[in-house]
Coordinates of all heavy atoms in Angstrom, one line a residue:
M1 N 1.5 -0.3 -15.6 CA 0.6 -1.0 -14.8 C 0.3 -0.2 -13.6 O 1.2 0.6 -13.1 CB 1.3 -2.4 -14.3 CG 0.6 -3.1 -13.3 SD 1.1 -4.8 -13.0 CE 0.0 -5.5 -14.3
Y2 N -0.9 -0.3 -13.1 CA -1.3 0.5 -11.9 C -1.7 -0.4 -10.8 O -2.3 -1.4 -11.0 CB -2.5 1.4 -12.3 CG -2.2 2.5 -13.2 CD1 -2.3 2.4 -14.6 CD2 -1.8 3.7 -12.7 CE1 -2.0 3.4 -15.5 CE2 -1.5 4.8 -13.6 CZ -1.6 4.6 -14.9 OH -1.2 5.6 -15.8
I3 N -1.4 0.0 -9.6 CA -1.8 -0.7 -8.4 C -2.7 0.3 -7.6 O -2.5 1.5 -7.6 CB -0.7 -1.3 -7.5 CG1 0.2 -0.2 -7.1 CG2 0.1 -2.3 -8.2 CD1 1.3 -0.6 -6.1
T4 N -3.7 -0.3 -6.9 CA -4.6 0.5 -6.1 C -4.3 0.5 -4.7 O -4.0 -0.6 -4.1 CB -6.0 0.0 -6.3 OG1 -6.4 0.0 -7.7 CG2 -7.1 0.8 -5.6
L5 N -4.2 1.6 -4.1 CA -3.9 1.8 -2.6 C -5.2 2.3 -2.0 O -5.7 3.4 -2.4 CB -2.7 2.7 -2.4 CG -1.4 2.3 -3.0 CD1 -0.4 3.4 -2.8 CD2 -0.9 1.0 -2.5
R6 N -5.7 1.7 -1.0 CA -6.9 2.2 -0.2 C -6.4 3.0 1.0 O -5.5 2.5 1.7 CB -7.8 1.0 0.2 CG -8.2 0.2 -0.9 CD -9.3 0.8 -1.7 NE -9.8 -0.1 -2.7 CZ -10.4 0.3 -3.8 NH1 -10.6 1.6 -4.0 NH2 -10.8 -0.6 -4.7
C7 N -6.9 4.1 1.2 CA -6.5 5.0 2.3 C -6.6 4.3 3.6 O -5.7 4.5 4.5 CB -7.3 6.3 2.3 SG -7.0 7.4 0.9
K8 N -7.6 3.5 3.9 CA -7.8 2.9 5.2 C -6.7 1.9 5.5 O -6.5 1.6 6.6 CB -9.2 2.3 5.3 CG -9.4 1.1 4.4 CD -10.8 0.6 4.6 CE -11.0 -0.7 3.7 NZ -12.3 -1.2 3.9
D9 N -6.0 1.4 4.5 CA -5.0 0.4 4.7 C -3.6 0.9 4.4 O -2.6 0.2 4.6 CB -5.2 -0.8 3.7 CG -6.6 -1.5 3.9 OD1 -7.0 -1.6 5.1 OD2 -7.2 -1.9 3.0
C10 N -3.5 2.1 4.0 CA -2.2 2.7 3.5 C -1.5 3.3 4.7 O -2.0 3.9 5.6 CB -2.5 3.8 2.5 SG -1.0 4.4 1.7
D11 N -0.1 3.1 4.7 CA 0.7 3.7 5.8 C 1.5 4.9 5.3 O 2.5 5.3 6.0 CB 1.7 2.6 6.2 CG 1.0 1.4 6.9 OD1 0.0 1.7 7.6 OD2 1.5 0.3 6.8
N12 N 1.2 5.5 4.2 CA 1.9 6.6 3.7 C 1.5 7.9 4.5 O 0.5 8.5 4.2 CB 1.6 6.8 2.2 CG 2.5 7.9 1.6 OD1 3.3 8.5 2.2 ND2 2.2 8.2 0.3
I13 N 2.4 8.2 5.4 CA 2.1 9.4 6.3 C 2.3 10.7 5.6 O 1.8 11.7 6.1 CB 2.9 9.3 7.6 CG1 4.4 9.3 7.3 CG2 2.5 8.1 8.4 CD1 5.3 9.5 8.5
D14 N 3.0 10.7 4.5 CA 3.2 12.0 3.7 C 2.3 12.2 2.5 O 2.5 13.0 1.7 CB 4.7 12.0 3.2 CG 5.7 11.9 4.3 OD1 5.4 12.6 5.4 OD2 6.7 11.3 4.1
C15 N 1.2 11.4 2.5 CA 0.2 11.5 1.4 C -0.4 12.9 1.4 O -1.0 13.3 2.4 CB -0.8 10.4 1.5 SG -1.9 10.4 0.1
G16 N -0.4 13.5 0.2 CA -1.1 14.8 0.0 C -2.5 14.7 -0.4 O -3.2 15.8 -0.4
I17 N -3.0 13.6 -0.7 CA -4.4 13.5 -1.2 C -5.4 12.9 -0.2 O -6.6 13.0 -0.4 CB -4.5 12.8 -2.6 CG1 -4.1 11.4 -2.5 CG2 -3.7 13.6 -3.6 CD1 -4.4 10.6 -3.7
A18 N -4.9 12.2 0.8 CA -5.8 11.5 1.7 C -6.4 12.5 2.8 O -5.8 13.5 3.1 CB -5.0 10.4 2.5
R19 N -7.6 12.2 3.2 CA -8.2 13.0 4.2 C -7.7 12.5 5.6 O -7.1 11.5 5.7 CB -9.7 12.8 4.2 CG -10.3 13.2 2.9 CD -11.8 13.1 3.0 NE -12.3 11.7 3.1 CZ -13.4 11.3 3.7 NH1 -14.2 12.2 4.2 NH2 -13.7 10.1 3.8
R20 N -7.9 13.3 6.6 CA -7.4 13.0 8.0 C -8.2 11.8 8.5 O -7.6 10.9 9.1 CB -7.7 14.1 8.9 CG -6.5 15.1 9.0 CD -6.7 16.0 10.2 NE -5.9 17.1 10.1 CZ -4.6 17.1 10.4 NH1 -4.1 16.0 10.9 NH2 -3.9 18.2 10.3
F21 N -9.5 11.7 8.3 CA -10.3 10.7 8.8 C -10.9 9.9 7.7 O -11.6 10.4 6.8 CB -11.4 11.2 9.7 CG -12.4 10.1 10.2 CD1 -12.0 9.2 11.1 CD2 -13.6 10.0 9.6 CE1 -12.9 8.2 11.5 CE2 -14.5 9.0 10.0 CZ -14.1 8.1 11.0
I22 N -10.6 8.6 7.6 CA -11.2 7.7 6.6 C -12.1 6.7 7.2 O -11.7 6.0 8.1 CB -10.1 7.0 5.8 CG1 -9.0 7.9 5.3 CG2 -10.6 6.1 4.7 CD1 -9.4 8.9 4.2
P23 N -13.4 6.8 6.9 CA -14.3 5.8 7.5 C -13.9 4.4 7.2 O -13.4 4.1 6.1 CB -15.7 6.2 6.8 CG -15.5 7.5 6.3 CD -14.0 7.7 6.0
E24 N -14.2 3.5 8.0 CA -13.8 2.1 7.9 C -14.4 1.4 6.6 O -13.8 0.6 6.0 CB -14.3 1.3 9.1 CG -13.8 -0.2 9.1 CD -12.3 -0.3 9.2 OE1 -11.6 0.5 9.8 OE2 -11.8 -1.3 8.6
D25 N -15.6 1.8 6.2 CA -16.2 1.2 5.0 C -15.9 2.0 3.7 O -16.4 1.6 2.7 CB -17.7 1.2 5.2 CG -18.4 2.5 5.4 OD1 -17.6 3.5 5.7 OD2 -19.6 2.6 5.3
S26 N -15.0 3.0 3.8 CA -14.7 3.8 2.6 C -13.7 3.0 1.7 O -12.9 2.3 2.2 CB -14.0 5.1 3.0 OG -13.6 5.8 1.9
L27 N -13.9 3.1 0.4 CA -13.0 2.5 -0.6 C -12.1 3.5 -1.2 O -11.4 3.2 -2.2 CB -13.9 1.8 -1.6 CG -14.7 0.7 -1.2 CD1 -15.6 0.1 -2.3 CD2 -13.9 -0.4 -0.6
E28 N -12.0 4.7 -0.7 CA -11.2 5.8 -1.3 C -9.7 5.5 -1.2 O -9.3 4.8 -0.3 CB -11.6 7.2 -0.8 CG -11.2 7.4 0.6 CD -11.8 8.7 1.1 OE1 -11.3 9.8 0.6 OE2 -12.7 8.7 1.9
G29 N -9.0 6.0 -2.2 CA -7.6 5.8 -2.3 C -7.1 6.4 -3.5 O -7.5 7.4 -4.0
C30 N -6.0 5.8 -4.1 CA -5.4 6.3 -5.3 C -4.8 5.1 -6.1 O -4.7 4.0 -5.5 CB -4.3 7.3 -5.0 SG -2.9 6.6 -4.2
T31 N -4.4 5.3 -7.3 CA -3.6 4.3 -8.0 C -2.2 4.9 -8.2 O -2.0 6.1 -8.3 CB -4.3 4.0 -9.4 OG1 -4.3 5.2 -10.2 CG2 -5.7 3.5 -9.2
R32 N -1.3 4.0 -8.3 CA 0.1 4.3 -8.6 C 0.6 3.6 -9.8 O 0.4 2.4 -9.9 CB 1.0 4.0 -7.4 CG 0.6 4.7 -6.1 CD 1.0 6.1 -6.1 NE 0.6 6.8 -4.9 CZ 1.3 7.8 -4.4 NH1 2.3 8.3 -5.0 NH2 0.8 8.4 -3.3
E33 N 1.3 4.3 -10.6 CA 1.9 3.7 -11.8 C 3.2 3.1 -11.5 O 4.1 3.8 -11.1 CB 2.0 4.8 -12.9 CG 2.5 4.2 -14.2 CD 2.6 5.3 -15.3 OE1 2.4 6.5 -15.1 OE2 2.9 4.9 -16.5
V34 N 3.3 1.8 -11.7 CA 4.5 1.0 -11.4 C 4.8 0.1 -12.5 O 3.9 -0.2 -13.3 CB 4.4 0.3 -10.0 CG1 4.2 1.2 -8.8 CG2 3.3 -0.7 -10.1
N35 N 6.0 -0.5 -12.5 CA 6.3 -1.5 -13.5 C 5.8 -2.8 -13.0 O 5.4 -3.0 -11.9 CB 7.8 -1.5 -13.8 CG 8.7 -1.8 -12.6 OD1 8.3 -2.6 -11.8 ND2 9.9 -1.2 -12.6
D36 N 5.9 -3.8 -13.9 CA 5.4 -5.2 -13.6 C 6.1 -5.8 -12.4 O 5.5 -6.5 -11.6 CB 5.5 -6.1 -14.8 CG 4.6 -5.7 -15.9 OD1 3.6 -5.0 -15.7 OD2 4.8 -6.1 -17.1
E37 N 7.4 -5.6 -12.3 CA 8.2 -6.2 -11.2 C 7.7 -5.6 -9.8 O 7.5 -6.4 -8.9 CB 9.7 -5.9 -11.4 CG 10.5 -6.5 -10.3 CD 12.0 -6.1 -10.5 OE1 12.4 -5.7 -11.6 OE2 12.8 -6.2 -9.5
I38 N 7.5 -4.3 -9.7 CA 7.0 -3.7 -8.5 C 5.6 -4.2 -8.2 O 5.3 -4.5 -7.0 CB 7.2 -2.2 -8.5 CG1 8.6 -1.8 -8.5 CG2 6.4 -1.6 -7.3 CD1 8.9 -0.3 -8.6
A39 N 4.8 -4.3 -9.2 CA 3.4 -4.8 -9.0 C 3.4 -6.2 -8.4 O 2.6 -6.5 -7.5 CB 2.6 -4.7 -10.2
E40 N 4.3 -7.1 -9.0 CA 4.4 -8.4 -8.5 C 4.9 -8.5 -7.1 O 4.4 -9.3 -6.2 CB 5.3 -9.3 -9.4 CG 4.7 -9.6 -10.7 CD 5.6 -10.3 -11.7 OE1 6.6 -10.9 -11.2 OE2 5.4 -10.2 -12.9
M41 N 5.9 -7.7 -6.8 CA 6.5 -7.7 -5.4 C 5.4 -7.1 -4.4 O 5.3 -7.7 -3.3 CB 7.7 -6.8 -5.3 CG 8.9 -7.4 -6.0 SD 9.5 -8.9 -5.2 CE 10.0 -8.2 -3.6
Y42 N 4.6 -6.1 -4.8 CA 3.6 -5.6 -3.9 C 2.6 -6.7 -3.6 O 2.2 -6.9 -2.5 CB 2.9 -4.4 -4.6 CG 1.8 -3.8 -3.8 CD1 2.1 -2.9 -2.7 CD2 0.5 -4.1 -4.0 CE1 1.1 -2.4 -2.0 CE2 -0.5 -3.6 -3.3 CZ -0.2 -2.7 -2.2 OH -1.2 -2.2 -1.5
S43 N 2.1 -7.4 -4.6 CA 1.2 -8.5 -4.4 C 1.8 -9.6 -3.5 O 1.1 -10.1 -2.6 CB 0.8 -9.1 -5.8 OG -0.1 -10.2 -5.6
H44 N 3.0 -9.9 -3.8 CA 3.7 -10.9 -3.0 C 3.8 -10.5 -1.5 O 3.4 -11.3 -0.6 CB 5.1 -11.2 -3.5 CG 6.0 -12.0 -2.7 ND1 5.7 -13.4 -2.5 CD2 7.1 -11.7 -1.9 CE1 6.7 -13.9 -1.6 NE2 7.5 -12.9 -1.3
Y45 N 4.2 -9.3 -1.2 CA 4.4 -8.9 0.1 C 3.0 -8.8 0.8 O 2.8 -9.2 2.0 CB 5.1 -7.5 0.2 CG 6.6 -7.6 0.1 CD1 7.2 -6.6 -0.6 CD2 7.3 -8.6 0.6 CE1 8.6 -6.6 -0.8 CE2 8.7 -8.6 0.5 CZ 9.3 -7.7 -0.2 OH 10.7 -7.7 -0.3
A46 N 2.0 -8.2 0.1 CA 0.7 -8.0 0.7 C -0.1 -9.3 1.0 O -0.8 -9.4 2.0 CB -0.2 -7.1 -0.2
N47 N 0.1 -10.3 0.1 CA -0.7 -11.5 0.2 C 0.0 -12.7 0.8 O -0.6 -13.6 1.4 CB -1.3 -11.8 -1.2 CG -2.2 -10.8 -1.7 OD1 -3.0 -10.2 -1.0 ND2 -2.0 -10.5 -3.0
E48 N 1.3 -12.7 0.6 CA 2.0 -13.9 0.9 C 3.1 -13.8 2.1 O 3.5 -14.8 2.6 CB 2.8 -14.5 -0.3 CG 1.8 -14.9 -1.4 CD 2.5 -15.2 -2.7 OE1 3.8 -15.3 -2.7 OE2 1.8 -15.3 -3.7
V49 N 3.4 -12.6 2.4 CA 4.4 -12.3 3.4 C 3.8 -11.7 4.7 O 3.9 -12.2 5.8 CB 5.6 -11.5 2.9 CG1 6.7 -11.3 4.0 CG2 6.3 -12.3 1.7
L50 N 3.3 -10.5 4.5 CA 2.8 -9.7 5.6 C 1.8 -10.3 6.5 O 1.9 -10.2 7.7 CB 2.3 -8.3 5.1 CG 2.1 -7.2 6.1 CD1 3.4 -7.0 6.9 CD2 1.6 -6.0 5.4
P51 N 0.8 -11.1 5.9 CA -0.1 -11.8 6.8 C 0.5 -12.8 7.8 O -0.1 -13.1 8.8 CB -1.1 -12.5 5.9 CG -1.0 -11.7 4.6 CD 0.5 -11.3 4.5
F52 N 1.7 -13.3 7.5 CA 2.3 -14.3 8.3 C 3.4 -13.8 9.2 O 3.9 -14.6 10.0 CB 2.8 -15.4 7.4 CG 1.8 -16.0 6.5 CD1 1.6 -15.7 5.2 CD2 0.9 -16.9 7.1 CE1 0.6 -16.3 4.5 CE2 -0.1 -17.5 6.4 CZ -0.3 -17.2 5.0
V53 N 3.7 -12.5 9.1 CA 4.8 -12.0 10.0 C 4.4 -12.1 11.5 O 5.3 -12.5 12.3 CB 5.1 -10.5 9.6 CG1 6.0 -9.9 10.6 CG2 5.8 -10.4 8.2
P54 N 3.2 -11.9 11.9 CA 2.9 -12.1 13.3 C 3.1 -13.5 13.8 O 3.2 -13.8 15.0 CB 1.4 -11.7 13.4 CG 1.1 -10.8 12.2 CD 2.0 -11.3 11.2
L55 N 3.2 -14.5 12.9 CA 3.4 -15.9 13.3 C 4.8 -16.2 13.5 O 5.1 -17.3 13.9 CB 2.7 -16.8 12.2 CG 1.2 -16.6 12.0 CD1 0.8 -17.5 10.9 CD2 0.4 -16.9 13.3
Y56 N 5.7 -15.3 13.0 CA 7.2 -15.6 13.2 C 7.5 -15.8 14.6 O 7.1 -15.0 15.5 CB 8.0 -14.5 12.6 CG 8.0 -14.3 11.1 CD1 7.1 -15.0 10.3 CD2 8.8 -13.4 10.5 CE1 7.1 -14.9 8.9 CE2 8.8 -13.3 9.1 CZ 8.0 -14.0 8.3 OH 8.0 -13.9 7.0
K57 N 8.3 -16.8 14.9 CA 8.8 -17.1 16.3 C 10.0 -16.2 16.6 O 10.2 -15.9 17.8 CB 9.1 -18.5 16.4 CG 7.9 -19.4 16.3 CD 8.2 -20.9 16.5 CE 7.1 -21.7 16.1 NZ 6.0 -21.9 17.0
N58 N 10.8 -15.8 15.7 CA 11.9 -15.0 15.9 C 11.6 -13.5 15.7 O 11.3 -13.1 14.6 CB 13.1 -15.4 14.9 CG 14.4 -14.8 15.2 OD1 14.4 -13.6 15.4 ND2 15.4 -15.5 15.2
F59 N 11.7 -12.8 16.8 CA 11.3 -11.3 16.8 C 12.2 -10.5 15.8 O 11.7 -9.7 15.1 CB 11.5 -10.8 18.2 CG 11.1 -9.3 18.3 CD1 9.8 -8.9 18.2 CD2 12.1 -8.3 18.4 CE1 9.5 -7.5 18.3 CE2 11.8 -7.0 18.5 CZ 10.5 -6.6 18.4
K60 N 13.5 -10.8 15.8 CA 14.4 -10.1 14.9 C 14.1 -10.3 13.5 O 14.1 -9.4 12.7 CB 15.9 -10.5 15.2 CG 16.9 -9.7 14.3 CD 18.3 -10.0 14.6 CE 19.3 -9.4 13.8 NZ 18.9 -8.6 12.7
T61 N 13.7 -11.6 13.1 CA 13.3 -11.9 11.7 C 12.0 -11.1 11.4 O 11.9 -10.6 10.3 CB 13.1 -13.4 11.5 OG1 14.3 -14.1 11.9 CG2 12.8 -13.7 10.1
A62 N 11.1 -11.1 12.3 CA 9.8 -10.4 12.1 C 10.1 -8.9 11.8 O 9.6 -8.3 10.9 CB 8.9 -10.6 13.2
C63 N 11.0 -8.3 12.7 CA 11.3 -6.9 12.5 C 12.0 -6.6 11.2 O 11.7 -5.6 10.5 CB 12.2 -6.4 13.7 SG 11.3 -6.2 15.2
D64 N 13.0 -7.5 10.9 CA 13.7 -7.3 9.6 C 12.8 -7.4 8.4 O 12.9 -6.6 7.4 CB 14.9 -8.3 9.5 CG 16.0 -8.1 10.5 OD1 16.0 -7.0 11.1 OD2 16.8 -9.0 10.7
T65 N 11.9 -8.4 8.4 CA 10.9 -8.5 7.3 C 10.0 -7.3 7.2 O 9.8 -6.8 6.1 CB 10.1 -9.8 7.5 OG1 11.0 -10.9 7.6 CG2 9.2 -10.0 6.4
T66 N 9.5 -6.9 8.3 CA 8.6 -5.7 8.3 C 9.4 -4.4 7.8 O 8.8 -3.7 7.0 CB 8.1 -5.4 9.7 OG1 7.4 -6.6 10.2 CG2 7.1 -4.3 9.8
N67 N 10.6 -4.2 8.2 CA 11.4 -3.1 7.7 C 11.7 -3.2 6.2 O 11.6 -2.2 5.5 CB 12.7 -3.0 8.5 CG 12.5 -2.5 9.9 OD1 11.6 -1.8 10.2 ND2 13.4 -2.9 10.8
K68 N 11.9 -4.4 5.8 CA 12.1 -4.6 4.3 C 10.9 -4.3 3.5 O 11.0 -3.6 2.5 CB 12.5 -6.1 4.1 CG 12.8 -6.4 2.7 CD 13.2 -7.9 2.6 CE 13.5 -8.3 1.1 NZ 13.9 -9.7 1.0
I69 N 9.7 -4.6 4.1 CA 8.4 -4.3 3.4 C 8.2 -2.8 3.4 O 7.8 -2.2 2.4 CB 7.3 -5.1 4.1 CG1 7.4 -6.6 3.8 CG2 5.9 -4.6 3.6 CD1 6.5 -7.4 4.6
Y70 N 8.5 -2.1 4.5 CA 8.3 -0.7 4.6 C 9.2 0.0 3.6 O 8.9 1.0 3.0 CB 8.4 -0.2 6.0 CG 7.2 -0.4 6.8 CD1 7.2 -1.0 8.0 CD2 5.9 0.1 6.4 CE1 6.1 -1.2 8.8 CE2 4.8 -0.1 7.1 CZ 4.9 -0.7 8.3 OH 3.7 -0.9 9.1
D71 N 10.5 -0.4 3.5 CA 11.4 0.1 2.6 C 10.9 0.0 1.1 O 10.9 0.9 0.3 CB 12.8 -0.5 2.7 CG 13.5 -0.1 3.9 OD1 13.1 0.9 4.5 OD2 14.5 -0.8 4.3
F72 N 10.3 -1.2 0.8 CA 9.7 -1.4 -0.5 C 8.5 -0.5 -0.7 O 8.4 0.1 -1.8 CB 9.3 -2.9 -0.6 CG 8.5 -3.1 -1.9 CD1 9.1 -3.1 -3.1 CD2 7.1 -3.3 -1.8 CE1 8.3 -3.3 -4.3 CE2 6.4 -3.5 -2.9 CZ 7.0 -3.5 -4.1
L73 N 7.7 -0.3 0.3 CA 6.5 0.5 0.2 C 6.8 2.0 -0.1 O 6.1 2.7 -0.8 CB 5.6 0.4 1.4 CG 4.8 -0.9 1.6 CD1 4.1 -0.9 2.9 CD2 3.8 -1.0 0.4
R74 N 8.0 2.4 0.4 CA 8.4 3.8 0.1 C 8.6 4.0 -1.4 O 8.3 5.0 -2.0 CB 9.7 4.1 0.9 CG 9.5 4.4 2.3 CD 10.7 5.0 3.0 NE 10.6 4.8 4.4 CZ 11.1 3.8 5.1 NH1 11.9 3.0 4.5 NH2 10.9 3.7 6.4
Q75 N 9.1 2.9 -2.1 CA 9.2 2.9 -3.6 C 7.8 3.1 -4.2 O 7.6 3.8 -5.1 CB 9.8 1.6 -4.1 CG 11.3 1.6 -4.2 CD 11.7 0.3 -4.9 OE1 11.3 -0.8 -4.4 NE2 12.4 0.4 -5.9
V76 N 6.9 2.3 -3.7 CA 5.5 2.4 -4.2 C 4.9 3.7 -4.0 O 4.3 4.3 -4.9 CB 4.6 1.3 -3.6 CG1 3.2 1.4 -4.0 CG2 5.1 -0.1 -3.9
Y77 N 5.1 4.3 -2.8 CA 4.5 5.6 -2.5 C 5.1 6.7 -3.3 O 4.5 7.8 -3.6 CB 4.6 5.9 -1.0 CG 3.9 5.0 -0.1 CD1 4.4 4.7 1.2 CD2 2.8 4.3 -0.5 CE1 3.8 3.8 2.0 CE2 2.2 3.4 0.3 CZ 2.7 3.2 1.6 OH 2.0 2.3 2.4
A78 N 6.4 6.5 -3.8 CA 7.1 7.5 -4.6 C 6.7 7.4 -6.1 O 7.0 8.3 -6.8 CB 8.6 7.4 -4.4
A79 N 6.0 6.4 -6.4 CA 5.6 6.2 -7.8 C 4.6 7.2 -8.3 O 3.9 7.8 -7.4 CB 5.0 4.8 -8.0
P80 N 4.6 7.6 -9.6 CA 3.6 8.6 -10.0 C 2.2 8.2 -9.7 O 1.8 7.0 -9.8 CB 3.9 8.6 -11.5 CG 5.2 8.0 -11.8 CD 5.4 7.0 -10.6
L81 N 1.4 9.2 -9.4 CA 0.0 9.0 -9.1 C -0.8 8.8 -10.4 O -0.5 9.4 -11.4 CB -0.6 10.2 -8.4 CG -0.2 10.4 -7.0 CD1 -0.6 11.8 -6.5 CD2 -0.9 9.4 -6.1
G82 N -1.8 7.9 -10.3 CA -2.6 7.7 -11.5 C -3.9 8.5 -11.3 O -4.0 9.6 -11.7
R83 N -4.9 7.9 -10.7 CA -6.2 8.5 -10.4 C -6.5 8.4 -8.9 O -6.1 7.5 -8.2 CB -7.3 7.9 -11.2 CG -7.1 8.0 -12.7 CD -8.4 7.7 -13.4 NE -8.3 7.9 -14.8 CZ -8.6 9.1 -15.4 NH1 -9.0 10.1 -14.7 NH2 -8.5 9.2 -16.7
K84 N -7.3 9.4 -8.5 CA -7.9 9.4 -7.1 C -9.1 8.5 -7.2 O -9.9 8.5 -8.2 CB -8.2 10.8 -6.7 CG -8.6 10.8 -5.2 CD -8.8 12.2 -4.7 CE -9.2 12.2 -3.3 NZ -9.4 13.5 -2.7
I85 N -9.4 7.8 -6.1 CA -10.5 6.9 -6.0 C -11.4 7.4 -4.9 O -11.0 7.7 -3.8 CB -10.1 5.4 -5.8 CG1 -9.2 5.0 -6.9 CG2 -11.3 4.5 -5.6 CD1 -8.5 3.7 -6.6
D86 N -12.7 7.5 -5.3 CA -13.7 8.1 -4.3 C -14.1 7.1 -3.3 O -13.7 5.9 -3.3 CB -14.9 8.8 -5.0 CG -15.8 7.8 -5.7 OD1 -15.7 6.5 -5.5 OD2 -16.7 8.2 -6.5
Q87 N -15.0 7.5 -2.4 CA -15.5 6.6 -1.3 C -16.2 5.4 -1.7 O -16.2 4.4 -1.0 CB -16.4 7.4 -0.4 CG -15.8 8.6 0.3 CD -16.7 9.7 0.7 OE1 -17.9 9.7 0.2 NE2 -16.3 10.6 1.5
R88 N -16.7 5.4 -2.9 CA -17.4 4.2 -3.5 C -16.5 3.3 -4.3 O -16.9 2.3 -4.8 CB -18.6 4.6 -4.3 CG -19.7 5.3 -3.5 CD -20.9 5.7 -4.3 NE -20.4 6.5 -5.5 CZ -20.4 7.8 -5.6 NH1 -20.9 8.5 -4.6 NH2 -20.0 8.4 -6.7
G89 N -15.2 3.7 -4.4 CA -14.3 2.9 -5.2 C -14.2 3.2 -6.7 O -13.6 2.4 -7.4
K90 N -14.8 4.3 -7.1 CA -14.8 4.7 -8.5 C -13.6 5.7 -8.7 O -13.4 6.7 -7.9 CB -16.1 5.4 -8.9 CG -17.3 4.5 -8.6 CD -17.4 3.4 -9.5 CE -18.6 2.5 -9.3 NZ -18.6 1.3 -10.0
A91 N -12.9 5.6 -9.8 CA -11.9 6.5 -10.2 C -12.5 7.8 -10.5 O -13.5 7.9 -11.3 CB -11.1 6.0 -11.4
T92 N -11.9 8.9 -10.0 CA -12.5 10.2 -10.2 C -11.7 11.1 -11.1 O -11.9 11.2 -12.3 CB -12.8 11.0 -8.9 OG1 -11.6 11.0 -8.2 CG2 -13.8 10.2 -8.0
T93 N -10.6 11.6 -10.6 CA -9.8 12.6 -11.4 C -8.4 12.1 -11.5 O -7.9 11.3 -10.7 CB -9.8 14.0 -10.7 OG1 -9.2 13.8 -9.4 CG2 -11.2 14.5 -10.6
S94 N -7.7 12.7 -12.5 CA -6.3 12.4 -12.6 C -5.5 13.2 -11.6 O -5.8 14.3 -11.4 CB -5.9 12.8 -14.0 OG -4.5 12.6 -14.2
C95 N -4.6 12.5 -10.9 CA -3.8 13.2 -9.9 C -2.5 13.7 -10.4 O -1.9 14.6 -9.8 CB -3.6 12.2 -8.7 SG -5.0 11.6 -7.9
G96 N -2.0 13.0 -11.3 CA -0.6 13.3 -11.8 C -0.7 14.2 -13.0 O -0.1 15.0 -13.5

């Protein structure tokens, strides 16, 4: 299974394929080959957990949750690259 990461939303500071400046309207990014469990966790964190962290009343809980998500994202960023995605959102070349 592949998940798509968009450069404008990605926090991978060690990425070797991203440009320095990504326009706000750009759809460029990459795909990462992950198993079903990681893909489900990625979707869960991105859609059901992270948007609500700013609403947490307990600062320590918010920090712990954010750190847990960043630790998980390191797994995603370490996954094998699939394809690079151009500015229009089209898969271009194989990265791996």
Side-chain angles (χ1 to χ4, degrees):
M1 170 165 275
Y2 290 90
I3 59 173
T4 301
L5 302 174
R6 303 286 181 202
C7 291
K8 67 180 182 180
D9 300 323
C10 186
D11 293 324
N12 185 2
I13 59 172
D14 297 324
C15 184
I17 64 170
R19 298 184 296 153
R20 274 194 194 278
F21 174 75
I22 306 297
E24 186 63 33
D25 61 345
S26 176
L27 296 176
E28 66 189 291
C30 67
T31 61
R32 298 287 178 151
E33 184 177 5
V34 296
N35 62 33
D36 291 341
E37 182 181 340
I38 291 178
E40 287 176 23
M41 288 295 294
Y42 179 80
S43 177
H44 170 69
Y45 282 142
N47 299 318
E48 299 170 9
V49 178
L50 196 56
F52 299 102
V53 170
L55 302 176
Y56 288 9
K57 295 183 189 283
N58 186 314
F59 180 74
K60 182 176 178 355
T61 304
C63 287
D64 291 345
T65 302
T66 304
N67 288 335
K68 183 178 177 181
I69 292 171
Y70 279 125
D71 288 342
F72 170 76
L73 285 175
R74 284 190 202 100
Q75 271 186 306
V76 173
Y77 299 150
L81 288 166
R83 295 195 176 270
K84 186 172 180 180
I85 299 171
D86 70 12
Q87 297 156 344
R88 295 179 308 261
K90 304 290 183 189
T92 56
T93 59
S94 177
C95 297

